[in-house]
Amino acid sequence: MDTKEIFLTKAEVYKPSLCRKETAPIAMIAPFMGASDWEYKKICDAAELSSMVLGKGDKICLDFGDHQVGYLHFTITPKEGLPDAPAYIKLKFGERICEIAEKFSQSDVSAATSISSSWIQEESIHIDILPQRISLPRRYAFRFMEIEVLDTSPYYKITIDNVLCESVSAVDMDTIKPCGGIDSTLDKIDSISIKTMAECAQDVFEDGPKRDRRLWIGDLRLEALADYETFQNYDLVKRCMYLFAGTANEDGQVGSCLYVQPQPVADRIYLFDYTLLYVCCLYDYYMETKDMPFLKELWDTAYRQIEIALQRVDENGLLPDSKDWDCFIDWNPNLNKQASAQGVLIYTLKRAKELANILGDTARAEESDRLIRRLSDSALQFLWDETSGFFRSGDQRQISWASQIWLVLAEILDPQQNAALLKRLMKTNPKINMVTPYLHHYFVEALLASGLKEEAFLHIKNYWGGMVKEGADCFYEIYDPQNPLSSPYGTRAKNSYCHAWSSTPCYFIRKYLDK
Amino acid sequence: MDTKEIFLTKAEVYKPSLCRKETAPIAMIAPFMGASDWEYKKICDAAELSSMVLGKGDKICLDFGDHQVGYLHFTITPKEGLPDAPAYIKLKFGERICEIAEKFSQSDVSAATSISSSWIQEESIHIDILPQRISLPRRYAFRFMEIEVLDTSPYYKITIDNVLCESVSAVDMDTIKPCGGIDSTLDKIDSISIKTMAECAQDVFEDGPKRDRRLWIGDLRLEALADYETFQNYDLVKRCMYLFAGTANEDGQVGSCLYVQPQPVADRIYLFDYTLLYVCCLYDYYMETKDMPFLKELWDTAYRQIEIALQRVDENGLLPDSKDWDCFIDWNPNLNKQASAQGVLIYTLKRAKELANILGDTARAEESDRLIRRLSDSALQFLWDETSGFFRSGDQRQISWASQIWLVLAEILDPQQNAALLKRLMKTNPKINMVTPYLHHYFVEALLASGLKEEAFLHIKNYWGGMVKEGADCFYEIYDPQNPLSSPYGTRAKNSYCHAWSSTPCYFIRKYLDK
């Protein structure tokens, strides 16, 4: 076996056996259009479903009371006659009620976005033999489930009962104590963020359990941080790290995301920042566990990401502003990423240098140190604009939230300067703003790194608290407080309402407050 | 165990193990609207499918070359990228091309008929892991299969290959030699009728493998007759007879049809003629096999059907013309069934009498004989109309094809009179005509019983030959030569194009010609 095969074999060893719980629906509900968005009202207890005889065209909606990731089971029984034809029923699953209530036109569903309509959680199934206990083969992420009887026959109707979701997760929510009593909003944010992380912790740390179940490095790093303050499921982090190492390309570069089924394979997506965050993820893991053998095992793979990234650095010690590379940073399509990328590289080198020192890898420690100085100098020389008091990015000298955040995290300026920069950023509020909870995470990290703890937690309460006010069971992939009904995908049916990269408030709360 | 439990246990003993064959599609085809109906043309060999890369909206249609009843398997492989989202595909199965080509409106599908739209053979399935070998769990009856890619994602497409139908039947078509050389039309009719019977011979003798998979006595009797001249799969006939006996109601009456899954249960449908045909089915079985223990075992159950039927006979020795009972005979909604029912009862009594004599059951032999005479006299006195030369039925004294057929089969008149009556029937052609192949069977039986062999086979060539000319792979549930595009169900998608009761030409050909 070569090294990569060994990594994949080890990844298999750390495969979690999932924790399974049965959850029954709590109520039958009906959606309606409220003042600004879809809402729902309770019709009756879910227990009453078993006595409801359903015929062609009947439709009911169940509320499971909280977000679930799992497998659906129910019993279908013929009533008022013998079943002379199959039952044909349609099932719709929604993380939020809008997914159930909204009628999506074909054009919404077909909208030319990067997200396939095949993620929309609905099935039409024929049931030939009745009564029968049905177990749907696919996993769904949902709180609400609609059942519509497309047809039975003129000679019989049906009842549906004993509906159960066999919820799955690599971790057990019941093992975590509430942090309790910090502040009612932060308590709530903490528990929802833990739930979000737990729902994404499956066979690997998934991006979002409803959609895009790939393992992404950027998400992994944030989920791992949340995990360390909660479940401490180190095995799952190890598994994910091994998977990336085992699926690196011939040049040694890890993919930014990978597929686990039918066998592990990296997608051919190489995001500049995600690749580097593999190093940071290893750094976090070592700091948490002090697992020296593991650090030694993956150190070469990790450092290789830096070597590859350095190939992009120009003679001025700067990452050039060109269109021939991908860097994620955030989903704002107008964001110029040159400065942010420079920040990510310095941020990563600082962690690599520390690991190299721990490992006694003097050569890499010295190389890292030299690079940090050179890249930092270049950032100050070419990106810092003394007049505006902001870092600028790209040919257009763009001022954005992202550039400030990442160059603060790179700690080129001293903490006081960084704190002043962040305050200036909040006050000036540049037009090129933050779009994803992912970048909001790094903003909070930057505030904390700059001693602005009060501002950091105020931001968590404002931003994640906005989702809580909306009644979120888990934190969303996308949340724009100015435009809560929006979807970048043409229809909210494609949005993910439980997304790994939004799960870090529990990390901040438990690491910086709950002690 | 009570007697009924014993019958059901024995039914289980005779459960067939199905013969399985793999059939691959032969061609990719395209439907088009021809001069009078949908037709299709070959696009290429089916082998070329594996090299076709299919994306969102692509649709292809495969031709399996002949009618299949079975389970579908295929391999789906991602192409031109990694599958970042499930593949969502729609599959449609058709016994005839119209089921694939015709766009059925919701009103067609929802038409208020007795046949549920849930029988329409189409599925939309999500495939989460690719590549994957897919095995669809449901059984389909089809020759044509359409595959439509509803969505993949912008990042990948798919190929579909190694499509196979795992065809199932209780019998093996390959064990039957063609009757050969009688007449090219009859040879073809013979082989299609055997195919039809074989496709319906499954776990029981099904009504139609696409739709209504119940076991009906009327169909069973005809399938058994076809079986005796071909596969001689006596075990399956025994199994079906035991199932009816084991599911008889508390009064001892067998249901007209029954369900096998999840456990045997008779439907609460009691058709006067179907119940009696249980006796005729036992008679046929004994005449074919001389299986005396089986005859003895079921004799009481069989004779009980006659006793129950006799409760309807009035003081004139006549079945009254009332609306409080069901008798099938044919699907012509305008048919008055009084005279036909009288014919079925006499026809059955004659077979019961013969069985009673064989068994030495003198009491029932004498009772049958007395009843035959009394019911025949009444038929002549009250139903026969000397003026028109036809039997009449009901208050309106209706003259129909069905009444003549069944009272000829009752053999009340002598063979010469019956032959003259049938010739008069063909010449006069009363408006209340034959609708189903089921009644056409009994018409042919009546012709043969009256010495009109030439007319019998001419009728087979005309009627079943009409379906052959249409390109039938199997014989249909409904065939009206005057109106071949019709469906009593609002859409032809619900029609059954392989139906047990249309499978008897092989019986007539092999019993009366091929010797």
Side-chain angles (χ1 to χ4, degrees):
Chain A
M1 277 204 286
D2 68 13
T3 321
K4 285 201 276 183
E5 282 168 359
I6 292 169
F7 289 151
L8 291 179
T9 306
K10 292 201 174 178
E12 205 56 26
V13 170
Y14 291 102
K15 191 178 164 72
S17 63
L18 299 181
C19 172
R20 288 169 189 270
K21 293 193 183 179
E22 289 190 345
T23 307
I26 57 163
M28 206 174 306
I29 55 129
F32 66 93
M33 180 46 85
S36 63
D37 196 5
W38 292 100
E39 300 176 21
Y40 59 91
K41 57 169 182 262
K42 181 174 171 179
I43 304 289
C44 60
D45 286 343
E48 291 184 38
L49 175 62
S50 60
S51 58
M52 289 179 68
V53 177
L54 306 171
K56 184 170 184 160
D58 286 341
K59 200 191 268 190
I60 59 109
C61 185
L62 296 173
D63 174 8
F64 280 72
D66 202 349
H67 190 275
Q68 310 292 329
V69 176
Y71 298 89
L72 220 283
H73 308 271
F74 61 90
T75 300
I76 178 167
T77 308
K79 292 286 163 180
E80 301 182 4
L82 287 166
D84 65 312
Y88 190 28
I89 62 173
K90 183 171 181 179
L91 303 166
K92 234 166 124 177
F93 299 89
E95 296 185 301
R96 297 188 70 211
I97 197 66
C98 61
E99 294 164 71
I100 302 292
E102 217 158 293
K103 293 283 163 289
F104 306 110
S105 73
Q106 196 49 45
S107 64
D108 291 334
V109 170
S110 303
T113 72
S114 59
I115 299 296
S116 171
S117 67
S118 66
W119 285 117
I120 293 173
Q121 302 183 115
E122 57 179 34
E123 313 287 349
S124 298
I125 59 169
H126 292 92
I127 300 160
D128 289 306
I129 296 170
L130 298 101
Q132 194 178 159
R133 181 82 180 149
I134 301 292
S135 292
L136 298 179
R138 305 180 72 218
R139 200 192 69 188
Y140 303 97
F142 69 104
R143 169 173 173 165
F144 304 101
M145 173 194 183
E146 185 185 79
I147 304 171
E148 182 181 355
V149 181
L150 297 176
D151 211 342
T152 53
S153 96
Y155 303 114
Y156 80 102
K157 294 184 172 182
I158 56 167
T159 55
I160 290 186
D161 67 348
N162 205 359
V163 183
L164 276 180
C165 175
E166 183 191 349
S167 304
V168 289
S169 170
V171 295
D172 182 355
M173 277 294 285
D174 295 344
T175 61
I176 303 298
K177 290 194 191 126
C179 59
I182 298 171
D183 162 313
S184 64
T185 304
L186 287 174
D187 285 355
K188 187 83 185 141
I189 291 172
D190 174 70
S191 70
I192 294 176
S193 68
I194 295 172
K195 170 90 174 162
T196 304
M197 202 274 278
E199 299 287 75
C200 295
Q202 300 290 341
D203 182 50
V204 293
F205 280 111
E206 293 182 6
D207 190 29
K210 166 174 150 184
R211 205 208 63 213
D212 196 359
R213 300 169 183 174
R214 282 174 286 183
L215 170 62
W216 290 82
I217 294 178
D219 301 69
L220 166 62
R221 190 206 175 197
L222 301 195
E223 285 174 291
L225 289 176
D227 177 71
Y228 301 151
E229 299 302 322
T230 53
F231 301 99
Q232 299 176 318
N233 184 3
Y234 303 140
D235 284 355
L236 191 57
V237 182
K238 275 176 106 156
R239 169 168 164 75
C240 295
M241 295 292 289
Y242 277 130
L243 283 168
F244 279 111
T247 56
N249 69 15
E250 288 177 6
D251 197 28
Q253 188 169 27
V254 297
S256 292
C257 68
L258 60 83
Y259 301 90
V260 183
Q261 293 281 4
Q263 60 276 322
V265 56
D267 207 338
R268 283 161 286 188
I269 298 173
Y270 300 99
L271 301 168
F272 182 83
D273 50 346
Y274 269 41
T275 308
L276 287 172
L277 288 170
Y278 186 78
V279 184
C280 303
C281 197
L282 183 60
Y283 171 85
D284 300 336
Y285 184 82
Y286 177 78
M287 290 305 160
E288 171 70 16
T289 63
K290 303 290 186 286
D291 181 346
M292 181 59 84
F294 185 69
L295 172 60
K296 281 185 178 161
E297 204 176 359
L298 293 191
W299 172 239
D300 285 350
T301 301
Y303 199 80
R304 181 68 192 138
Q305 310 316 311
I306 292 174
E307 291 167 353
I308 293 166
L310 290 172
Q311 293 165 7
R312 295 213 163 265
V313 177
D314 68 14
E315 64 284 2
N316 292 322
L318 215 55
L319 291 163
D321 181 30
S322 73
K323 298 202 166 173
D324 66 344
W325 63 319
D326 286 323
C327 187
F328 177 67
I329 306 297
D330 193 19
W331 268 350
N332 188 327
N334 301 313
L335 175 66
N336 181 287
K337 297 173 179 178
Q338 184 196 21
S340 305
Q342 187 88 6
V344 173
L345 182 51
I346 298 166
Y347 175 88
T348 302
L349 278 163
K350 289 190 170 174
R351 280 151 185 78
K353 178 184 154 190
E354 209 174 326
L355 290 178
N357 283 326
I358 288 164
L359 286 159
D361 184 345
T362 323
R364 284 174 177 162
E366 284 170 6
E367 187 189 34
S368 299
D369 188 62
R370 187 180 52 78
L371 286 162
I372 291 164
R373 277 184 285 117
R374 175 159 166 71
L375 291 163
S376 300
D377 289 350
S378 299
L380 282 176
Q381 183 181 349
F382 297 103
L383 305 177
W384 178 251
D385 173 27
E386 192 59 39
T387 316
S388 65
F390 286 120
F391 289 101
R392 290 181 174 270
S393 179
D395 290 345
Q396 305 297 314
R397 311 282 291 147
Q398 182 189 75
I399 296 172
S400 67
W401 280 75
S403 301
Q404 315 317 312
I405 290 166
W406 275 108
L407 285 160
V408 164
L409 287 168
E411 296 176 294
I412 303 169
L413 306 175
D414 64 40
Q416 291 73 19
Q417 288 175 308
N418 275 337
L421 170 53
L422 290 173
K423 284 184 176 171
R424 197 157 49 243
L425 175 65
M426 289 185 278
K427 193 171 168 198
T428 311
N429 189 11
K431 206 178 67 188
I432 308 296
N433 61 351
M434 298 184 281
V435 170
T436 57
Y438 174 79
L439 186 55
H440 280 269
H441 165 92
Y442 284 109
F443 176 53
V444 174
E445 197 177 310
L447 288 169
L448 287 167
S450 309
L452 299 173
K453 189 168 165 180
E454 199 175 319
E455 287 81 352
F457 284 93
L458 187 63
H459 187 75
I460 290 174
K461 284 169 81 163
N462 283 340
Y463 183 69
W464 278 270
M467 290 184 257
V468 175
K469 276 190 200 141
E470 272 202 359
D473 297 307
C474 290
F475 289 127
Y476 317 158
E477 168 192 27
I478 298 152
Y479 176 63
D480 178 356
Q482 309 309 316
N483 194 8
L485 305 189
S486 69
S487 167
Y489 311 132
T491 163
R492 283 194 286 167
K494 292 184 187 175
N495 285 19
S496 165
Y497 289 110
C498 172
H499 221 70
W501 70 20
S502 310
S503 69
T504 52
C506 61
Y507 158 72
F508 292 123
I509 290 168
R510 287 171 184 252
K511 184 165 175 139
Y512 295 95
L513 282 186
D514 185 34
K515 274 175 186 167
Chain B
M1 274 203 286
D2 69 11
T3 321
K4 286 202 276 184
E5 283 170 356
I6 292 169
F7 290 151
L8 290 179
T9 306
K10 292 200 174 178
E12 205 54 26
V13 170
Y14 291 104
K15 191 177 163 73
S17 62
L18 298 181
C19 172
R20 289 168 189 271
K21 291 192 181 180
E22 288 191 345
T23 307
I26 57 165
M28 206 174 305
I29 56 132
F32 65 93
M33 181 46 84
S36 64
D37 196 4
W38 292 100
E39 299 177 21
Y40 59 91
K41 56 171 186 260
K42 180 174 170 177
I43 304 288
C44 61
D45 287 341
E48 292 184 38
L49 175 62
S50 61
S51 58
M52 289 178 68
V53 177
L54 307 172
K56 184 170 185 159
D58 286 341
K59 200 193 270 192
I60 59 109
C61 185
L62 297 172
D63 175 8
F64 280 73
D66 203 348
H67 191 274
Q68 311 292 329
V69 176
Y71 298 89
L72 221 283
H73 308 271
F74 61 90
T75 300
I76 178 164
T77 307
K79 293 282 163 183
E80 301 181 4
L82 287 167
D84 65 314
Y88 189 27
I89 62 173
K90 183 173 179 175
L91 303 166
K92 233 166 124 178
F93 299 90
E95 297 184 299
R96 297 189 68 209
I97 197 68
C98 62
E99 293 163 73
I100 301 292
E102 218 157 293
K103 293 281 164 288
F104 307 109
S105 72
Q106 197 49 44
S107 64
D108 292 335
V109 169
S110 302
T113 72
S114 59
I115 300 296
S116 171
S117 65
S118 65
W119 286 117
I120 294 173
Q121 301 183 115
E122 56 179 36
E123 314 288 351
S124 298
I125 59 169
H126 291 92
I127 300 160
D128 290 305
I129 298 170
L130 295 101
Q132 194 178 160
R133 180 82 179 149
I134 301 292
S135 293
L136 298 179
R138 305 179 72 217
R139 202 191 69 188
Y140 302 97
F142 69 103
R143 170 173 173 164
F144 304 101
M145 173 194 182
E146 186 183 81
I147 304 171
E148 182 181 355
V149 181
L150 296 177
D151 211 342
T152 54
S153 96
Y155 303 112
Y156 81 102
K157 294 183 173 184
I158 55 166
T159 55
I160 290 187
D161 69 347
N162 205 358
V163 183
L164 275 181
C165 176
E166 182 192 351
S167 303
V168 289
S169 169
V171 297
D172 181 356
M173 277 295 285
D174 295 346
T175 60
I176 303 297
K177 289 194 189 126
C179 58
I182 297 170
D183 164 312
S184 63
T185 304
L186 287 174
D187 285 355
K188 188 84 185 140
I189 291 172
D190 174 70
S191 71
I192 294 175
S193 68
I194 296 171
K195 170 90 174 161
T196 304
M197 203 275 280
E199 301 285 78
C200 296
Q202 300 290 342
D203 181 51
V204 294
F205 281 112
E206 293 182 6
D207 192 29
K210 166 173 149 183
R211 205 208 63 212
D212 196 358
R213 299 167 183 174
R214 281 174 286 184
L215 169 63
W216 289 83
I217 294 178
D219 300 69
L220 166 62
R221 192 209 172 192
L222 301 194
E223 286 173 290
L225 289 173
D227 177 71
Y228 301 152
E229 300 301 323
T230 53
F231 301 99
Q232 300 176 319
N233 183 5
Y234 303 139
D235 283 355
L236 192 56
V237 182
K238 276 177 101 156
R239 168 168 163 77
C240 295
M241 295 292 288
Y242 277 130
L243 283 169
F244 279 111
T247 56
N249 67 16
E250 287 176 8
D251 196 29
Q253 187 169 26
V254 297
S256 291
C257 69
L258 59 82
Y259 302 89
V260 183
Q261 293 283 2
Q263 60 275 323
V265 56
D267 207 339
R268 282 159 287 187
I269 298 173
Y270 299 98
L271 302 167
F272 182 84
D273 49 346
Y274 269 41
T275 307
L276 287 171
L277 287 168
Y278 186 79
V279 184
C280 303
C281 195
L282 183 61
Y283 170 87
D284 299 336
Y285 184 82
Y286 177 79
M287 290 305 161
E288 171 70 16
T289 62
K290 301 291 186 287
D291 181 347
M292 181 58 84
F294 185 68
L295 172 59
K296 280 186 178 158
E297 205 175 358
L298 293 191
W299 172 237
D300 285 350
T301 301
Y303 199 80
R304 180 68 193 137
Q305 310 314 312
I306 292 175
E307 291 168 352
I308 292 167
L310 290 172
Q311 294 165 6
R312 295 214 162 263
V313 176
D314 68 12
E315 63 284 0
N316 292 322
L318 216 58
L319 290 162
D321 182 30
S322 73
K323 301 204 163 172
D324 66 345
W325 62 317
D326 286 324
C327 187
F328 177 67
I329 304 298
D330 193 18
W331 267 351
N332 189 326
N334 301 312
L335 175 65
N336 181 288
K337 298 172 179 178
Q338 182 197 22
S340 304
Q342 187 89 6
V344 173
L345 182 52
I346 299 166
Y347 175 89
T348 301
L349 279 163
K350 288 190 170 174
R351 280 150 186 79
K353 179 184 155 188
E354 210 174 324
L355 291 177
N357 282 326
I358 289 164
L359 287 159
D361 184 346
T362 323
R364 283 172 176 166
E366 282 171 7
E367 186 190 33
S368 300
D369 187 62
R370 188 178 54 75
L371 286 162
I372 290 163
R373 277 185 283 115
R374 173 156 166 71
L375 291 163
S376 300
D377 289 349
S378 299
L380 282 175
Q381 184 183 346
F382 296 105
L383 304 177
W384 178 252
D385 171 28
E386 192 60 41
T387 316
S388 64
F390 286 119
F391 288 101
R392 289 181 176 271
S393 179
D395 291 345
Q396 305 295 315
R397 312 282 290 150
Q398 182 189 73
I399 295 171
S400 67
W401 281 76
S403 300
Q404 315 316 313
I405 289 166
W406 275 108
L407 284 160
V408 163
L409 286 167
E411 296 178 291
I412 302 168
L413 305 175
D414 65 37
Q416 291 73 22
Q417 287 175 307
N418 274 338
L421 170 55
L422 289 173
K423 284 184 174 170
R424 196 156 51 243
L425 175 66
M426 289 186 278
K427 193 171 168 199
T428 310
N429 189 13
K431 208 179 66 189
I432 307 297
N433 62 351
M434 298 183 283
V435 170
T436 58
Y438 175 79
L439 185 56
H440 280 268
H441 165 90
Y442 284 108
F443 176 53
V444 174
E445 195 177 310
L447 289 167
L448 287 166
S450 310
L452 299 173
K453 188 168 166 176
E454 199 175 316
E455 286 81 352
F457 284 94
L458 187 63
H459 187 75
I460 290 173
K461 285 169 80 162
N462 283 339
Y463 184 70
W464 277 270
M467 288 185 258
V468 175
K469 275 188 200 144
E470 272 202 359
D473 297 306
C474 290
F475 289 127
Y476 318 157
E477 168 191 26
I478 297 151
Y479 176 61
D480 178 357
Q482 308 310 314
N483 194 8
L485 305 188
S486 69
S487 167
Y489 311 131
T491 164
R492 284 194 285 167
K494 293 184 188 175
N495 284 17
S496 165
Y497 289 109
C498 172
H499 220 70
W501 71 21
S502 310
S503 69
T504 53
C506 62
Y507 158 73
F508 292 123
I509 290 167
R510 287 170 184 252
K511 181 164 177 139
Y512 295 97
L513 281 185
D514 184 34
K515 276 180 184 167

